[in-house]
Amino acid sequence: MGEAIVAHRTQGRGGIHKGVRTFHRTGFAALVAACLTATPALAASDVVPAVEADYAAHLEKLFLDFHQNPELSFLEVRTAAIMAKELRAIGGIEVTEKVGGTGVVGVMRNGDGPVLLMRADMDGLPLKEDSGLPYASTATQVDRDGVTKPVMQACGHDVHITALIGAARQLARLKDRWQGTILFVVQPAEERIAGARMMLEDGLYTRFGKPDYAIGFHVTSDFPSGTLGIEPGTVLSSADSVDVIIPGVGAHGASPQMGKDPIVMGSEIVMALQTLVSRQISPLKPGVVTVGSFQAGNKHNIIPDKALLQLSVRADDEATRAKLIDGIKRIAVNVGRMNGMPEDKLPEVKVGFESTPVTSNDPALTQRVRSAFVAGLGEDVLYSKPRESMGSEDFSYFIQPDLKVPGAFFWVGGTPRAEYDAAAKGGAPLRPHHSPFFRIEPRPAVTLGTQAMTVAALDILKK
């Protein structure tokens, strides 16, 4: 796939903001055929201007409030309350709070038909915002560890929840065009890749009904504003946070022979871990083992009695994922043995506390959603570029193979076109996610996210 295989769609989208769409047809026959087949484009022809108007009247204020008042994972009490209030205000939605912690579920029923899950995550990150925006967050919050931290929406979840409300408002207005049931899922704690699993463990699929389909999106600074990206197959990697606890025997730094140095053992483990990807999995199978933290000791001349490594592990399939985790365990315990540690004091590997599987888009549903985007929003809305990282998302829990729920996860561009083009030419780099400098262009991101969710739902649930 090329860096930009389709043209950029400008914010005005050919006059759509004025309520007018220009369709390119080749002759009268094509026009007649389009009318006779009742395409989703005709069914959704008023979605774009309606969303633009709703952004000005309602959604912009909601977005700004979410951006300026972010909350950390598991602590999204205020955000959840606003989302519940907004869903109830729409009418015709049964709202349940405190699902899987702070999660919210809204159920909109509209006759017999498929059940569609529409998901948005809501948590922020412990960062002090330095985006330069006039509405930048200055919020702080006491985290679960008791420490007061700055908080910002450094991954665009404020866009996601605002767009979910926007889509719910549109779908309530357009009930004559679809039938079935929609589950509006407001998910906590995505940043700790735990919220989706917690909602499922709290009975999401047994209390509210198992969906026939699931969709969600992520705004991204890696795409220009006004564009959507959606591809079949693996779109996001698995992620596992791994702790390696390394016992040692403390001693004076001048008498190392009296102890067992966990810093040396930790260093040997770090270096040996590099062979997992380079020598133990196929070069055609992507994988990452990153040591993000090495903690040990507090004085120059003291050999400590413990060290801690914190790892991030990524893979694109479950077999590779298992092989990497097993390899970490094997290396850790055998480095302990190599250094003469007794069997009851070998390094311990902890995994599973922050983990998510691979996110894989169902090919048939992906093609259907993609076609709905083209029909309802125009072919020039689509954008594609190669994957450049092994990012992850716990949306994957909702669509795991054993659940038999087809899923489609897509991207919404968030960087102004001028900034995007300048970065491509060697100018200022794009503002990365999880950075104090992160920011996106809110109006096109929120409106396009809303429009995309709406036209996808209208197609999946069409009469």
Side-chain angles (χ1 to χ4, degrees):
M1 294 180 292
E3 175 71 7
I5 61 172
V6 293
H8 171 57
R9 185 183 74 158
T10 62
Q11 183 174 340
R13 291 194 282 277
I16 289 173
H17 64 290
K18 298 177 182 177
V20 179
R21 175 175 292 281
T22 300
F23 292 99
H24 298 284
R25 299 285 187 247
T26 56
F28 180 73
L31 179 61
V32 171
C35 293
L36 291 176
T37 55
T39 64
L42 299 177
S45 61
D46 66 338
V47 169
V48 171
V51 171
E52 297 284 356
D54 198 34
Y55 183 84
H58 186 76
L59 299 179
E60 180 177 31
K61 181 179 179 181
L62 189 62
F63 168 81
L64 291 173
D65 183 69
F66 286 143
H67 188 90
Q68 292 180 308
N69 296 280
E71 295 176 295
L72 295 170
S73 303
F74 303 110
L75 303 173
E76 312 95 333
V77 176
R78 179 184 184 275
T79 307
I82 293 173
M83 290 296 289
K85 179 181 178 181
E86 288 286 331
L87 289 170
R88 289 191 177 102
I90 293 169
I93 301 178
E94 301 167 15
V95 178
T96 304
E97 300 179 66
K98 298 181 180 179
V99 180
T102 54
V104 178
V105 177
V107 182
M108 181 187 290
R109 295 185 173 87
N110 190 29
D112 294 334
V115 178
L116 172 64
L117 182 151
M118 300 174 66
R119 173 268 201 170
D121 43 1
M122 59 177 165
D123 51 331
L125 285 158
L127 289 168
K128 181 175 177 59
E129 184 165 356
D130 191 17
S131 65
L133 294 169
Y135 52 86
S137 168
T138 58
T140 61
Q141 189 174 26
V142 179
D143 205 348
R144 297 199 305 167
D145 59 6
V147 178
T148 299
K149 300 173 183 177
V151 193
M152 72 172 285
Q153 285 287 359
C155 206
H157 295 185
D158 44 357
V159 172
H160 305 168
I161 49 180
T162 306
L164 187 71
I165 294 299
R169 288 163 65 89
Q170 293 302 313
L171 291 164
R173 179 179 69 87
L174 300 170
K175 275 192 169 182
D176 60 325
R177 302 186 190 178
W178 62 274
Q179 62 185 37
T181 299
I182 302 176
L183 306 181
F184 298 101
V185 174
V186 186
Q187 183 204 305
E190 187 280 330
E191 297 297 356
R192 290 182 178 265
I193 49 178
R197 180 172 56 183
M198 289 172 61
M199 294 190 82
L200 288 168
E201 290 173 350
D202 199 18
L204 177 65
Y205 284 1
T206 55
R207 295 166 60 186
F208 304 100
K210 182 180 172 182
D212 297 293
Y213 306 98
I215 61 173
F217 79 88
H218 207 301
V219 68
T220 175
S221 61
D222 288 335
F223 279 34
S225 295
T227 62
L228 298 172
I230 183 167
E231 303 290 346
T234 298
V235 292
L236 289 156
S237 303
S238 67
D240 292 280
S241 294
V242 179
D243 285 351
V244 181
I245 302 163
I246 307 164
V249 177
H252 195 293
S255 305
Q257 76 280 6
M258 302 298 292
K260 297 289 184 183
D261 193 336
I263 295 178
V264 170
M265 287 187 276
S267 300
E268 291 171 335
I269 291 171
V270 170
M271 296 308 297
L273 290 177
Q274 309 313 305
T275 66
L276 283 175
V277 172
S278 66
R279 289 295 177 270
Q280 297 186 40
I281 66 171
S282 167
L284 302 180
K285 295 281 190 179
V288 168
V289 178
T290 293
V291 180
S293 176
F294 191 148
Q295 303 171 25
N298 53 28
K299 188 69 176 71
H300 304 72
N301 61 351
I302 299 175
I303 295 173
D305 61 3
K306 185 173 71 173
L308 171 66
L309 302 178
Q310 294 181 321
L311 283 58
S312 180
V313 182
R314 311 286 171 132
D316 272 3
D317 63 80
E318 291 303 312
T320 301
R321 180 188 186 194
K323 192 166 187 177
L324 292 174
I325 297 297
D326 290 345
I328 292 166
K329 294 176 180 177
R330 183 181 66 253
I331 287 170
V333 298
N334 283 303
V335 165
R337 291 187 177 112
M338 183 176 70
N339 280 272
M341 295 297 293
E343 288 294 311
D344 63 344
K345 288 190 177 182
L346 295 176
E348 178 185 3
V349 176
K350 293 185 176 181
V351 66
F353 53 94
E354 289 182 355
S355 296
T356 188
V358 171
T359 301
S360 184
N361 278 350
D362 178 77
L365 180 61
T366 299
Q367 183 55 49
R368 185 172 182 177
V369 171
R370 185 184 181 92
S371 297
F373 289 165
V374 171
L377 303 171
E379 187 172 357
D380 62 346
V381 77
L382 295 178
Y383 188 87
S384 183
K385 64 184 295 186
R387 286 176 65 201
E388 296 177 344
S389 75
M390 298 190 73
S392 63
E393 247 280 358
D394 70 350
F395 176 80
S396 58
Y397 276 109
F398 297 127
I399 59 171
Q400 279 303 284
D402 62 310
L403 295 174
K404 294 181 169 43
V405 177
F409 193 82
F410 60 94
W411 308 101
V412 174
T415 294
R417 168 58 77 168
E419 292 183 19
Y420 190 86
D421 289 345
K425 295 175 182 177
L430 300 177
R431 296 171 180 265
H433 293 247
H434 290 218
S435 157
F437 311 112
F438 175 78
R439 72 182 189 193
I440 52 84
E441 193 173 11
R443 184 185 185 98
V446 171
T447 56
L448 185 55
T450 301
Q451 293 154 5
M453 293 284 269
T454 302
V455 299
L458 288 175
D459 184 82
I460 293 169
L461 303 175
K462 65 184 175 183
K463 290 186 175 182

